[in-house]
Amino acid sequence: MALADRLLTLRRDVHSGEVLARGGDPEAHSVLERTGFVPVVRLHERYHRLPTGLDTAEEARLATRAVARLKAVGYYIDCDPAFDTERREPHHLTLGTQVVAIADRIRRAESTEDAADALTELTATHGGILDALHEVLTATADFYQDLGPSADPHLAKRLRFLAAESLGVIASDLRGIRNDLADRHVPHPQRAAWVSEMPSTEREASAVCACPPPPSRVPSLPSVVAGGRRR
């Protein structure tokens, strides 16, 4: 990872008065967003800002907490003195990181059973990730329904559509794929370890591959070759 990706600035902009964070890699951006910052993507730059409508004390609290969290995982912060802190706040394993671990399990899967077992974390009827995501979309729709502004009921309707239709298609397809893998019971041809069939009298129990014998050594050249004796 480039050193520049470990450096961030977190300062109050002298022109707008906003508290802005610049620099860092995706992990740093994740820490900022989990501390309350809002990502801003412009044509030629990307940065994070604190939400609008906060008082100065709350802005300082969130900025200081971001500094503590970023320093705890090894980032170097150039910040306003008001935001600097010697405190370090642990950076816990995020839920998203735990979900990515399922992808790692699938990448390492050596059989259809292994892949099906990993996918079950997504597709399980109760407690599966897709089921939980459906609950999140529905709860957000309920929140928007009576929030107030005239556009909110339309947002609620859109969220319910995403939960029932878009997510429903993904869930249905993945459950079918998971069930297909569970029924196959075969090793992946490019990943399964080679296991030799050894007789019960085989002494070298550590052997795992019936490899062909090594090629015979290339014979030495004769001492007399075309053009005279070899010197």
Side-chain angles (χ1 to χ4, degrees):
M1 180 182 296
L3 178 61
D5 291 334
R6 308 300 296 180
L7 301 175
L8 295 96
T9 62
L10 204 163
R11 295 184 173 278
R12 188 178 296 278
D13 186 76
V14 295
H15 302 291
S16 67
E18 294 180 296
V19 176
L20 305 179
R22 287 188 165 91
D25 57 9
E27 182 185 2
H29 301 163
S30 176
V31 172
L32 288 167
E33 290 159 20
R34 284 179 164 81
T35 312
F37 281 73
V38 177
V40 179
V41 180
R42 303 297 189 196
L43 182 60
H44 299 295
E45 65 174 338
R46 172 178 180 148
Y47 59 92
H48 286 74
R49 63 169 175 81
L50 283 176
T52 59
L54 302 179
D55 60 32
T56 303
E58 181 64 6
E59 288 179 335
R61 186 186 72 82
L62 291 177
T64 303
R65 189 177 193 190
V67 170
R69 288 181 167 184
L70 288 165
K71 284 186 175 181
V73 288
Y75 289 95
Y76 302 93
I77 318 298
D78 177 18
C79 63
D80 288 348
F83 306 149
D84 202 4
T85 178
E86 295 302 318
R87 184 167 58 90
R88 301 293 182 266
E89 186 170 327
H91 180 56
H92 299 291
L93 185 66
T94 65
L95 183 59
T97 303
Q98 296 177 57
V99 174
V100 169
I102 297 174
D104 292 335
R105 288 176 58 189
I106 295 173
R107 293 187 185 101
R108 296 192 305 267
E110 295 183 354
S111 67
T112 55
E113 289 94 339
D114 292 341
D117 185 57
L119 283 175
T120 302
E121 295 296 333
L122 277 77
T123 62
T125 304
H126 179 73
I129 292 170
L130 291 172
D131 182 62
L133 182 55
H134 183 279
E135 291 294 318
V136 170
L137 291 172
T138 302
T140 308
D142 292 342
F143 181 82
Y144 263 106
Q145 184 63 49
D146 300 314
L147 191 56
S150 59
D152 289 348
H154 299 286
L155 288 173
K157 184 177 180 180
R158 176 64 178 169
L159 286 165
R160 292 193 179 95
F161 171 82
L162 292 174
E165 301 297 331
S166 301
L167 183 60
V169 170
I170 294 173
S172 177
D173 284 357
L174 273 180
R175 287 186 175 113
I177 289 169
R178 180 264 173 193
N179 294 340
D180 172 68
L181 290 170
D183 286 335
R184 289 199 184 187
H185 307 292
V186 295
H188 192 290
Q190 302 299 323
R191 299 184 184 181
W194 288 97
V195 180
S196 62
E197 295 183 3
M198 296 181 294
S200 59
T201 56
E202 174 61 58
R203 296 181 61 185
E204 298 295 335
S206 63
V208 295
C209 179
C211 303
S216 58
R217 296 181 59 186
V218 177
S220 301
L221 290 173
S223 59
V224 178
V225 294
R229 292 181 179 275
R230 186 175 61 184
R231 294 178 182 179

